């Protein structure tokens, strides 16, 4: 019996081995393309376009920058890439991740390490940075829940925590075509890489 295939062919031509990902097989264009077509909330959101993981990642990076204005560009890049593995493994909602168990976490960790190394970040982020990115992620989830996913404010407060209104400020959820989101995600990545220089 043949060994089951554990790699995915990317539009760039790269072949990414999910069990043993290497940084050389990771391209930002593949990440941006995949994430711009992966729907958050399993697509259960209002609007004419799905709210993509790429759009979510752009918002998380903005929130992180507002919360930690002195953070160097490399940590803002880490915030932008926080869900990057989902370009190949999709966005599983928390209840599904919990049901799948530790296998999902191991796969995610291997992909995160390879992605980070590819773009000059440490394979594992410092705990303080990871915690701040997670906080920005939860604020984004609260905004998404209340604006497009049908949650009441009370429900969102219970599941994601009540966000600081000053951090959210004038930000709002934006539903756009995947091609526009893909271009913005790629451009933001390039800008941060240039800033890291």
């Amino acid at each position: 019996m043949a060994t089951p295939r554990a790699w995915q062919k990317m539009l760039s031509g790269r072949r990414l081995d999910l069990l043993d990902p290497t940084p050389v097989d990771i391209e930002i264009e593949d990440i941006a393309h995949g994430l711009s077509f992966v729907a958050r909330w399993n697509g259960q959101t209002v609007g004419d376009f799905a709210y993509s993981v790429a759009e979510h990642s752009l918002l998380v990076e903005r929130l992180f920058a507002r919360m930690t204005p002195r953070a160097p560009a490399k940590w803002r890049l880490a915030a932008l890439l926080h869900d990057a593995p989902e370009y190949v493994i999709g966005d599983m909602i928390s209840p599904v991740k919990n049901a799948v168990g530790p296998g999902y976490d191991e796969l995610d960790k291997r992909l995160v390490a390879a992605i980070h190394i590819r773009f000059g970040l440490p394979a594992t982020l410092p705990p303080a940075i990871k915690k701040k990115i997670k906080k920005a992620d939860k604020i984004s989830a609260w905004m998404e829940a209340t604006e497009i996913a049908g949650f009441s404010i009370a429900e969102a407060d219970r599941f994601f925590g009540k966000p600081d209104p000053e951090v959210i400020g004038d930000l709002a959820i934006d539903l756009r075509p995947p091609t526009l989101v893909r271009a913005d995600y790629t451009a933001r990545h390039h800008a941060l890489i240039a800033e890291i220089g």
Side-chain angles (χ1 to χ4, degrees):
M1 187 166 114
T3 305
R5 180 171 66 91
W7 54 268
Q8 180 170 344
K9 180 91 172 200
M10 299 295 157
L11 289 179
S12 66
R14 300 285 187 191
R15 192 168 100 165
L16 183 66
D17 184 335
L18 298 179
L19 299 178
D20 187 22
T22 60
V24 74
D25 290 322
I26 293 165
E27 299 291 344
I28 193 58
E29 292 79 11
D30 292 330
I31 293 172
H33 181 80
L35 294 184
S36 66
F37 285 92
V38 174
R40 295 260 302 159
W41 305 92
N42 278 350
Q44 297 300 307
T45 53
V46 299
D48 293 331
F49 297 102
Y51 187 71
S52 72
V53 174
E55 194 79 79
H56 161 78
S57 298
L58 286 163
L59 179 57
V60 168
E61 191 263 330
R62 278 188 220 111
L63 289 164
F64 175 80
R66 284 183 175 195
M67 291 164 44
T68 54
R70 291 197 172 105
K74 70 178 180 178
W75 300 141
R76 295 195 315 270
L77 178 62
L80 182 70
L81 294 170
H82 80 283
D83 278 340
E86 294 178 9
Y87 87 109
V88 287
I89 59 177
D91 179 38
M92 282 194 207
I93 58 173
S94 295
V96 175
K97 286 179 187 174
N98 295 337
V100 170
Y104 178 89
D105 285 340
E106 286 305 313
L107 178 59
D108 186 67
K109 281 179 189 172
R110 283 194 296 272
L111 286 164
V112 164
I115 291 165
H116 282 182
I117 291 166
R118 169 66 176 88
F119 299 114
L121 298 170
T124 304
L125 296 178
I129 297 301
K130 191 170 182 177
K131 186 176 178 182
K132 287 177 184 173
I133 293 171
K134 187 63 182 169
K135 185 172 182 183
D137 189 38
K138 285 195 167 220
I139 293 170
S140 178
W142 185 94
M143 292 174 66
E144 295 162 28
T146 58
E147 291 183 42
I148 59 171
F151 283 60
S152 70
I153 288 175
E155 285 176 315
D157 287 351
R158 188 167 69 249
F159 290 115
F160 308 110
K162 191 172 186 68
D164 179 348
E166 286 187 24
V167 172
I168 294 172
D170 58 348
L171 295 175
I173 299 301
D174 197 8
L175 298 171
R176 303 182 296 153
T179 52
L180 295 180
V181 180
R182 178 181 64 202
D184 283 356
Y185 186 96
T186 305
R188 186 64 188 141
H189 177 271
H190 290 323
L192 289 167
I193 290 288
E195 196 176 330
I196 293 167

